[in-house]
Coordinates of all heavy atoms in Angstrom, one line a residue:
A10 N 0.8 -1.2 0.0 CA 0.0 0.0 0.0 C 0.9 1.3 0.0 O 0.5 2.3 -0.6 CB -0.9 -0.1 1.2
Q11 N 2.1 1.2 0.6 CA 2.9 2.3 0.7 C 4.3 1.9 0.9 O 4.6 0.8 1.5 CB 2.6 3.1 1.9 CG 3.4 4.4 2.0 CD 3.0 5.3 3.3 OE1 2.5 4.7 4.2 NE2 3.3 6.5 3.2
L12 N 5.3 2.6 0.3 CA 6.7 2.3 0.4 C 7.2 3.0 1.6 O 7.0 4.1 1.9 CB 7.4 2.7 -0.8 CG 7.1 2.1 -2.2 CD1 7.9 2.7 -3.3 CD2 7.3 0.6 -2.1
R13 N 8.1 2.1 2.4 CA 8.7 2.7 3.6 C 10.2 2.3 3.6 O 10.5 1.2 3.1 CB 8.0 2.1 4.9 CG 6.6 2.6 4.9 CD 6.1 2.4 6.3 NE 4.8 3.1 6.6 CZ 4.6 4.4 6.9 NH1 5.7 5.1 7.2 NH2 3.4 4.8 7.1
Y14 N 11.0 3.1 4.1 CA 12.5 2.8 4.3 C 12.6 1.7 5.3 O 12.0 1.9 6.5 CB 13.3 4.1 4.6 CG 13.5 4.9 3.5 CD1 12.8 6.1 3.4 CD2 14.3 4.6 2.4 CE1 12.9 7.0 2.3 CE2 14.5 5.5 1.4 CZ 13.8 6.7 1.3 OH 14.0 7.5 0.2
D15 N 13.4 0.7 5.1 CA 13.7 -0.4 6.1 C 14.5 0.3 7.3 O 15.2 1.3 7.1 CB 14.6 -1.4 5.6 CG 13.9 -2.3 4.5 OD1 12.7 -2.1 4.3 OD2 14.6 -3.1 4.0
G16 N 14.2 -0.2 8.5 CA 14.9 0.4 9.6 C 14.1 1.5 10.2 O 13.6 1.4 11.3
S17 N 14.0 2.6 9.5 CA 13.4 3.8 10.1 C 11.8 3.8 10.0 O 11.1 4.4 10.8 CB 13.8 5.1 9.4 OG 13.3 5.2 8.1
G18 N 11.3 3.1 9.0 CA 9.9 3.1 8.8 C 9.3 4.3 8.1 O 8.1 4.5 7.9
Q19 N 10.2 5.2 7.8 CA 9.8 6.5 7.2 C 9.2 6.2 5.8 O 9.7 5.4 5.0 CB 10.9 7.5 7.1 CG 11.5 8.0 8.4 CD 10.4 8.8 9.2 OE1 9.8 9.6 8.6 NE2 10.3 8.4 10.5
P20 N 8.1 7.0 5.4 CA 7.6 6.9 4.0 C 8.6 7.3 3.0 O 9.4 8.2 3.1 CB 6.4 7.7 4.0 CG 6.4 8.5 5.3 CD 7.5 8.0 6.1
V21 N 8.6 6.6 1.8 CA 9.5 6.9 0.7 C 8.7 8.0 -0.2 O 7.6 7.7 -0.5 CB 9.8 5.6 -0.2 CG1 10.6 6.0 -1.4 CG2 10.4 4.6 0.7
P22 N 9.3 9.1 -0.4 CA 8.7 10.2 -1.2 C 8.6 9.9 -2.7 O 9.3 10.7 -3.5 CB 9.5 11.4 -0.8 CG 10.9 10.9 -0.6 CD 10.7 9.5 0.0
L23 N 7.9 8.8 -3.1 CA 7.6 8.6 -4.5 C 6.2 8.7 -4.8 O 5.4 8.1 -4.1 CB 8.1 7.2 -4.9 CG 9.6 6.9 -5.2 CD1 9.8 5.6 -5.6 CD2 10.1 7.9 -6.3
A24 N 5.8 9.5 -5.7 CA 4.4 9.7 -6.0 C 4.0 8.4 -6.9 O 4.7 7.9 -7.6 CB 4.2 10.9 -7.0
G25 N 2.7 8.1 -6.6 CA 2.1 6.9 -7.2 C 0.9 6.4 -6.4 O 0.7 6.8 -5.2
K26 N 0.1 5.6 -7.1 CA -1.1 5.1 -6.4 C -0.8 3.6 -6.1 O -1.5 3.0 -5.3 CB -2.3 5.2 -7.3 CG -2.8 6.6 -7.6 CD -4.0 6.6 -8.5 CE -4.3 8.1 -8.8 NZ -5.3 8.2 -9.8
Y27 N 0.1 2.9 -6.8 CA 0.4 1.5 -6.6 C 1.9 1.4 -6.4 O 2.7 2.0 -7.1 CB -0.1 0.7 -7.9 CG -1.6 0.8 -8.0 CD1 -2.1 1.8 -8.8 CD2 -2.5 0.0 -7.4 CE1 -3.5 2.0 -9.0 CE2 -3.9 0.2 -7.6 CZ -4.4 1.2 -8.4 OH -5.7 1.3 -8.6
F28 N 2.3 0.3 -5.6 CA 3.7 0.2 -5.3 C 4.0 -1.3 -5.3 O 3.2 -2.1 -4.9 CB 4.0 0.9 -4.0 CG 3.7 2.2 -3.9 CD1 2.5 2.7 -3.4 CD2 4.5 3.2 -4.4 CE1 2.1 4.0 -3.3 CE2 4.1 4.6 -4.4 CZ 2.9 5.0 -3.8
L29 N 5.2 -1.7 -5.8 CA 5.8 -2.9 -5.6 C 7.1 -2.9 -4.7 O 7.8 -1.9 -4.9 CB 6.3 -3.5 -6.9 CG 5.1 -3.9 -7.9 CD1 5.7 -4.4 -9.3 CD2 4.2 -4.9 -7.3
E30 N 7.2 -3.8 -3.8 CA 8.4 -3.9 -3.0 C 9.2 -5.1 -3.5 O 8.7 -6.2 -3.7 CB 8.0 -4.1 -1.5 CG 9.2 -4.2 -0.6 CD 8.9 -4.5 0.8 OE1 8.5 -5.7 1.1 OE2 8.9 -3.5 1.6
I31 N 10.4 -4.9 -3.8 CA 11.3 -5.9 -4.4 C 12.4 -6.2 -3.3 O 13.1 -5.3 -2.9 CB 12.0 -5.4 -5.7 CG1 10.9 -5.1 -6.7 CG2 12.9 -6.6 -6.2 CD1 11.5 -4.2 -7.8
R32 N 12.4 -7.4 -2.7 CA 13.3 -7.8 -1.6 C 14.1 -8.9 -2.0 O 13.7 -10.0 -2.3 CB 12.4 -8.2 -0.4 CG 12.6 -7.4 0.8 CD 11.4 -7.8 1.8 NE 12.0 -8.0 3.1 CZ 12.3 -7.0 3.9 NH1 12.2 -5.8 3.4 NH2 12.8 -7.3 5.0
L33 N 15.5 -8.7 -1.8 CA 16.5 -9.7 -2.2 C 17.1 -10.1 -0.8 O 17.5 -9.4 0.0 CB 17.6 -9.1 -3.0 CG 17.1 -8.6 -4.3 CD1 16.8 -7.1 -4.3 CD2 18.3 -8.7 -5.4
N34 N 17.3 -11.5 -0.7 CA 17.8 -12.1 0.5 C 18.4 -13.5 0.3 O 17.7 -14.3 -0.3 CB 16.8 -12.2 1.6 CG 17.2 -12.9 2.8 OD1 16.9 -14.0 3.0 ND2 18.0 -12.3 3.7
P35 N 19.6 -13.8 0.7 CA 20.6 -12.9 1.4 C 21.2 -11.9 0.3 O 21.5 -12.3 -0.8 CB 21.6 -13.8 2.0 CG 21.6 -14.9 1.1 CD 20.2 -15.1 0.6
A36 N 21.4 -10.7 0.7 CA 22.0 -9.8 -0.2 C 22.5 -8.6 0.6 O 22.1 -8.4 1.7 CB 21.1 -9.2 -1.3
A37 N 23.5 -7.8 0.0 CA 24.1 -6.6 0.7 C 24.4 -5.6 -0.4 O 24.7 -6.0 -1.6 CB 25.2 -7.0 1.6
A38 N 24.3 -4.4 -0.1 CA 24.8 -3.3 -1.0 C 26.0 -2.6 -0.4 O 26.3 -1.5 -0.8 CB 23.6 -2.3 -1.2
H39 N 26.7 -3.4 0.5 CA 27.9 -2.9 1.1 C 28.9 -4.0 1.3 O 28.5 -5.2 1.3 CB 27.5 -2.1 2.5 CG 27.0 -3.2 3.4 ND1 25.7 -3.5 3.5 CD2 27.5 -3.9 4.4 CE1 25.5 -4.4 4.4 NE2 26.6 -4.7 5.0
N40 N 30.1 -3.6 1.4 CA 31.1 -4.7 1.6 C 31.3 -5.0 3.0 O 30.7 -4.4 3.8 CB 32.5 -4.3 0.8 CG 33.1 -3.0 1.3 OD1 32.8 -2.6 2.4 ND2 33.9 -2.4 0.5
D41 N 32.3 -5.9 3.3 CA 32.6 -6.2 4.8 C 33.0 -5.1 5.6 O 32.8 -5.1 6.8 CB 33.5 -7.4 4.8 CG 32.9 -8.7 4.4 OD1 31.6 -8.8 4.4 OD2 33.6 -9.6 4.0
A42 N 33.6 -4.0 5.0 CA 34.1 -2.9 5.7 C 33.0 -1.8 5.9 O 33.2 -0.8 6.5 CB 35.3 -2.2 4.9
G43 N 31.8 -2.2 5.4 CA 30.6 -1.2 5.5 C 30.5 -0.2 4.4 O 29.7 0.7 4.5
E44 N 31.4 -0.2 3.4 CA 31.4 0.7 2.3 C 30.4 0.3 1.3 O 30.3 -0.9 0.9 CB 32.8 0.9 1.7 CG 33.9 1.2 2.7 CD 35.2 0.9 2.2 OE1 35.4 0.0 1.4 OE2 36.2 1.6 2.7
S45 N 29.7 1.3 0.8 CA 28.6 1.0 -0.2 C 29.2 0.5 -1.5 O 30.2 1.1 -2.0 CB 27.8 2.3 -0.5 OG 26.8 2.0 -1.5
V46 N 28.7 -0.5 -2.1 CA 29.1 -1.0 -3.5 C 28.0 -0.8 -4.4 O 28.1 -1.0 -5.6 CB 29.4 -2.5 -3.4 CG1 30.6 -2.8 -2.5 CG2 28.3 -3.4 -3.0
Y47 N 26.9 -0.2 -4.0 CA 25.8 0.1 -4.9 C 26.0 1.5 -5.5 O 26.2 2.5 -4.8 CB 24.5 0.2 -3.9 CG 23.3 0.6 -4.8 CD1 22.7 -0.4 -5.7 CD2 22.7 1.8 -4.7 CE1 21.5 0.0 -6.4 CE2 21.6 2.2 -5.4 CZ 21.0 1.3 -6.2 OH 20.0 1.6 -7.0
H48 N 26.0 1.5 -6.8 CA 26.2 2.7 -7.7 C 25.0 3.2 -8.3 O 25.1 4.1 -9.2 CB 27.3 2.5 -8.6 CG 28.6 2.0 -7.9 ND1 29.3 2.8 -7.1 CD2 29.2 0.7 -7.9 CE1 30.4 2.1 -6.6 NE2 30.3 0.9 -7.2
G49 N 23.8 2.6 -8.1 CA 22.6 3.1 -8.8 C 21.9 4.2 -8.0 O 22.4 4.8 -7.0
P50 N 20.8 4.6 -8.4 CA 20.0 5.7 -7.8 C 19.4 5.3 -6.5 O 19.0 4.1 -6.3 CB 18.9 5.9 -8.9 CG 18.7 4.7 -9.5 CD 20.0 4.1 -9.6
K51 N 19.3 6.2 -5.6 CA 18.7 5.9 -4.3 C 17.3 6.3 -4.3 O 16.4 5.6 -3.7 CB 19.4 6.7 -3.1 CG 20.9 6.5 -3.0 CD 21.1 5.2 -2.2 CE 22.6 5.0 -2.0 NZ 23.0 4.2 -1.0

C-alpha cells in the first residue's frame, strides 16, 4: 500500500497510487568494511 524505508519506517517520497516492494535475501549493498558497493539511484 505504501513504500517505507527499512529500519526507520519513514515513508518513501515517490508519487504513485500503486507500489511494488522488491526484496533480495541474502544480499548486501555494502562490503565487509561497511562501504557502499551500490552505484545506482537511491
Side-chain angles (χ1 to χ4, degrees):
Q11 183 179 24
L12 297 174
R13 296 195 171 272
Y14 286 107
D15 291 355
S17 73
Q19 294 295 316
V21 176
L23 279 179
K26 295 178 184 173
Y27 300 92
F28 305 97
L29 292 177
E30 181 183 77
I31 304 164
R32 233 169 140 76
L33 298 90
N34 173 258
H39 61 278
N40 60 22
D41 288 338
E44 301 161 334
S45 180
V46 297
Y47 177 74
H48 302 293
K51 301 279 183 165

